[in-house]
Amino acid sequence: MTHRLPCFLPSALLLTSLHGCPPRPSSLPAALLPSLLPLLTQPARRQHCRGLAALRGGMGGLELVTERGRYRPCAGSVVFNKEGMYLVGERITVKGSWQFPQGGIEEGETPMDAAKREMYEEVGLSVPGGAVVEVCTIEDAMLYNVDGGWLKKEGYCGQAMYFSLFYYPGEGLPPVNLGGLGGEKPEFSQVKWAGMKEVVEMIWVKKRAVYEELAAAAVPKVEAYLTKVRQESNP
């Protein structure tokens, strides 16, 4: 079961509404979050962790706390083209493992803010005035667990993924830069377009359930957006 979270994250003492989400409360006192959050969430299909408790600031920044432990909020950037294909990168450190650009959400950022930053740092794409167009943030946080690694060392049991969608209207591959921008190390050795089914098959097994959930949420939004684009270009 992937937990469905409200469309906001804490920033200082307020909760900031996400871009592209259905109307929900845009601002609540942070002190009320632990008691109100369970009332504002609904379970979705996959079970990664039970018992949603609170989103809060932690030692390493924002964290999502459940009865099974702490999850690191993480933003993912999903870029698609007019054929409904998705831009994925092959990780430098794990050859044959592909994924969307992603990274931790920093204090004061919305998932959309973080997704834009990660997309720029890892593949060199930006909005506005760049190669891609901002579409929306998917409202569901999708959790996955880890068995070890740096997340465990930092006290996290996994990550809570928030995915944002971006449209690339051009031909071929977008003008990516894989050198690592914004002071970050390079993440990908190459990028390519792939159908969502292929993307799910190529992802690291620990994230596969999250990407299956993402596919179910993202594909209808992408198809609806592309239908609108086609209608506007052929009135």
Side-chain angles (χ1 to χ4, degrees), residues 212-226:
E212 289 173 348
E213 197 72 31
L214 168 63
V219 170
K221 293 181 183 295
V222 168
E223 291 177 347
Y225 185 87
L226 291 177

Side-chain angles (χ1 to χ4, degrees), residues 94-227:
V94 188
K95 187 174 177 58
S97 177
W98 298 71
Q99 68 177 37
F100 297 128
Q102 69 169 63
I105 299 173
E106 297 178 357
E107 190 73 38
E109 286 186 322
T110 66
M112 177 61 79
D113 293 335
K116 291 178 183 177
R117 176 177 51 77
E118 292 293 336
M119 181 173 58
Y120 172 74
E121 292 172 352
E122 296 188 2
V123 296
L125 300 179
S126 61
V127 292
V132 297
V133 178
E134 174 186 327
V135 178
C136 72
T137 295
I138 295 173
E139 64 186 77
D140 295 350
M142 304 171 191
L143 314 185
Y144 73 90
N145 296 327
V146 296
D147 298 323
W150 71 270
L151 283 168
K152 278 290 186 181
K153 291 179 182 178
E154 293 291 330
Y156 296 107
C157 59
Q159 296 200 99
M161 296 296 305
Y162 294 81
F163 290 97
S164 295
L165 305 180
F166 302 89
Y167 173 56
Y168 174 65
E171 302 292 337
L173 283 173
V176 299
N177 182 335
L178 304 182
L181 300 174
E184 298 297 320
K185 294 180 179 179
E187 179 70 25
F188 300 122
S189 60
Q190 61 177 319
V191 296
K192 69 177 183 179
W193 293 115
M196 185 60 81
K197 182 178 179 181
E198 183 183 1
V199 172
V200 172
E201 292 172 350
M202 293 187 299
I203 193 65
W204 179 43
V205 65
K206 290 289 185 180
K207 294 181 183 177
R208 189 158 297 155
V210 165
Y211 270 58
E212 289 173 348
E213 197 72 31
L214 168 63
V219 170
K221 293 181 183 295
V222 168
E223 291 177 347
Y225 185 87
L226 291 177
T227 296

